[in-house]
Amino acid sequence: MADAREETLEEESLAEAARRLKAIIVGSLGNLVEWYDFYVYSAFSLYFANSFFPGEDPVAQMLSSAGVFALGFFMRPIGGALFGEIGDRFGRRRALTLSVLLMCLGSLIVAATPGYATIGEAAPALLLFARLLQGLSLGGEYGSSAAYLCEMASSRRRGFYSSFQYVTLIGGQLTALLVLLVLQNLVFTPEELRAYGWRVPFAIGAALALFALVMRRDLEETQAFASEASPRRRSSLRALLSYPREAATVVGLTMGGTLAFYVYTTYIQKFLKLSAGLSDAQTTWISAGSLVFAMALQPAYGALSDRVGRRPLLIGFGVLGTLFTAPLMTAIQTARGPWTAFALVLAGWLIVGAYTSINALVKAELFPASVRVTGVAVPYAVAVSFFGGTAEYVALWFKSAGRESWFYYYVSAAIFCSLIVYARMPETRAASRIDADVERA
């Protein structure tokens, strides 16, 4: 009798693990599609900048393109508030479904918009509108997916499983780069890519977003949300005002990490081409290879955080990022050949990965279920808008002013400010509010 009971419990445990794993995989794949749609803009901006922004100076064209990229980020706090309300009031699944639908619309607009030569100033205006829609979508995606993955994961392996948010986030950019490599080497000539081939990846993104929409319609809701699923009079954004310390912590821990992340993702491709002097193909291969390495780092660091805690990894990133960002960027700029540059970019990821792997989890562990999506999304989006979204624009501005090295120290200073927050914040693994929600459920 006892053996039969133990066998039943074991089967239930396996079924529960399978249920969690399926939900995490489906949620992660949708996250990958969202970030592919957002990052494909950066990956192909070298080819479509001249279609929307006339002129002869490539740096000026890239500056205009980066400006539109940055403006899209300023919709993310609005998206975080809007989808935070949906996610905290009506469920994580509904927020995730609506966000990917909005991303699909943005990709379709970019794919179909004629160039400046055809419709004049309406072309960059439509491009900006599409990016604002995508920024709104991504503002909701981050908080919703962070809450969903962290709540679905078991407490003992929450760092490992939640790290897949950034595995798929980075995977979205890697997919964009792989599409770029295929189109560069197998489908189009450089002239054809600049003329019309750049539209193909945006059309692919719209189709993938529709696929993600279908997948997310069948997602099951988390137990943590179910424990809080009762009518609430206050909006989630107003409820967030009851957690000012936690919200400020999210802004502080994000600013340096998100700036470093966008340096090694969106900006590094332009940096390798415009500053290190590498070819288009070399910059694409280095970016793609470094992202594969970064993806492998995320679960490794996430699993480490389950053993030693979240705070030691964040402090490690803060110390190493403050000390070595400027030397690394200087070395990449003066690298003799692509292999040296590649090794240096990997060294940068060894530092940044300690932040990216667990930052969403740390934020989710700070808030109760009733305000978790909003608590993660809105303060994060504010920090990303001012530091992450402007990284490429600020870097190119320093370059155009002849003071490129100043950008390196700007990044180091932001990481140091975050280090102060890491040193003062609590260890969230030991006092996770997610565990309290699950126990109540």
Side-chain angles (χ1 to χ4, degrees), residues 188-252:
F188 298 118
T189 65
E191 293 74 22
E192 289 172 336
L193 267 176
R194 288 184 174 88
Y196 59 88
W198 60 265
R199 298 182 185 276
V200 173
F202 290 98
I204 292 173
L208 289 175
L210 286 176
F211 175 69
L213 176 64
V214 173
M215 289 195 307
R216 284 184 165 181
R217 288 177 61 187
D218 296 326
L219 278 176
E220 66 172 289
E221 196 52 79
T222 67
Q223 291 182 357
F225 172 75
S227 71
E228 292 286 342
S230 58
R232 292 184 290 277
R233 294 181 181 275
R234 289 193 302 171
S235 71
S236 294
L237 191 59
R238 185 173 297 177
L240 181 61
L241 297 177
S242 300
Y243 301 91
R245 180 184 178 89
E246 289 83 354
T249 298
V250 171
V251 172

Side-chain angles (χ1 to χ4, degrees), residues 20-60:
R20 290 178 185 270
L21 184 60
K22 178 182 176 182
I24 288 170
I25 290 173
V26 172
S28 297
L29 287 176
N31 192 53
L32 186 149
V33 171
E34 283 253 19
W35 288 93
Y36 164 83
D37 277 347
F38 195 76
Y39 277 131
V40 78
Y41 178 98
S42 179
F44 281 84
S45 60
L46 289 169
Y47 292 99
F48 70 72
N50 64 326
S51 295
F52 291 95
F53 308 104
E56 300 298 329
D57 184 358
V59 174

Side-chain angles (χ1 to χ4, degrees), residues 85-361:
E85 180 69 22
I86 296 170
D88 287 329
R89 186 178 292 271
F90 302 106
R92 311 340 184 186
R93 181 182 65 178
R94 187 173 298 184
L96 289 169
T97 302
L98 292 174
S99 69
V100 79
L101 180 62
L102 202 58
M103 184 64 75
C104 175
L105 178 60
S107 292
L108 278 175
I109 292 173
V110 177
T113 298
Y116 188 93
T118 304
I119 60 173
E121 294 181 357
L126 283 172
L127 178 67
L128 175 59
F129 175 69
R131 292 302 291 174
L132 295 180
L133 285 181
Q134 291 185 321
L136 191 71
S137 169
L138 214 58
E141 171 69 20
Y142 182 88
S144 302
S145 63
Y148 187 82
L149 294 179
C150 294
E151 290 174 355
M152 289 301 300
S154 59
S155 60
R156 288 187 300 174
R157 307 196 70 187
R158 188 167 287 136
F160 173 77
Y161 282 118
S162 65
S163 71
F164 282 88
Q165 182 185 24
Y166 265 76
V167 170
T168 52
L169 189 157
I170 295 169
Q173 183 171 13
L174 178 61
T175 304
L177 286 174
L178 291 176
V179 170
L180 175 58
L181 284 170
V182 171
L183 296 183
Q184 277 179 335
N185 296 284
L186 301 177
V187 182
F188 298 118
T189 65
E191 293 74 22
E192 289 172 336
L193 267 176
R194 288 184 174 88
Y196 59 88
W198 60 265
R199 298 182 185 276
V200 173
F202 290 98
I204 292 173
L208 289 175
L210 286 176
F211 175 69
L213 176 64
V214 173
M215 289 195 307
R216 284 184 165 181
R217 288 177 61 187
D218 296 326
L219 278 176
E220 66 172 289
E221 196 52 79
T222 67
Q223 291 182 357
F225 172 75
S227 71
E228 292 286 342
S230 58
R232 292 184 290 277
R233 294 181 181 275
R234 289 193 302 171
S235 71
S236 294
L237 191 59
R238 185 173 297 177
L240 181 61
L241 297 177
S242 300
Y243 301 91
R245 180 184 178 89
E246 289 83 354
T249 298
V250 171
V251 172
L253 73 87
T254 300
M255 58 184 292
T258 192
L259 182 53
F261 173 75
Y262 281 100
V263 166
Y264 287 101
T265 53
T266 59
Y267 179 59
I268 195 67
Q269 193 177 9
K270 284 79 175 176
F271 183 67
L272 290 170
K273 177 178 173 61
L274 299 175
S275 299
L278 301 181
S279 68
D280 286 350
Q282 287 172 332
T283 60
T284 304
W285 280 110
I286 290 174
S287 297
S290 65
L291 290 177
V292 171
F293 179 75
M295 288 174 65
L297 282 179
Q298 306 308 305
Y301 279 140
L304 180 62
S305 79
D306 287 327
R307 290 181 173 273
V308 304
R310 326 298 185 204
R311 193 162 162 267
L313 268 70
L314 292 175
I315 291 176
F317 159 71
V319 172
L320 296 175
T322 300
L323 295 177
F324 292 107
T325 294
L328 272 175
M329 296 298 290
T330 302
I332 293 171
Q333 182 182 5
T334 58
R336 296 181 178 180
W339 286 106
T340 301
F342 180 57
L344 291 167
V345 174
L346 296 190
W349 270 112
L350 284 172
I351 298 172
V352 179
Y355 162 82
T356 57
S357 58
I358 60 169
N359 80 94
L361 170 60

Side-chain angles (χ1 to χ4, degrees), residues 389-409:
T390 61
E392 189 175 317
Y393 186 88
V394 171
L396 290 170
W397 185 84
F398 276 123
K399 181 176 179 62
S400 67
R403 296 287 187 270
E404 187 167 25
S405 63
W406 290 13
F407 177 68
Y408 313 157
Y409 295 101

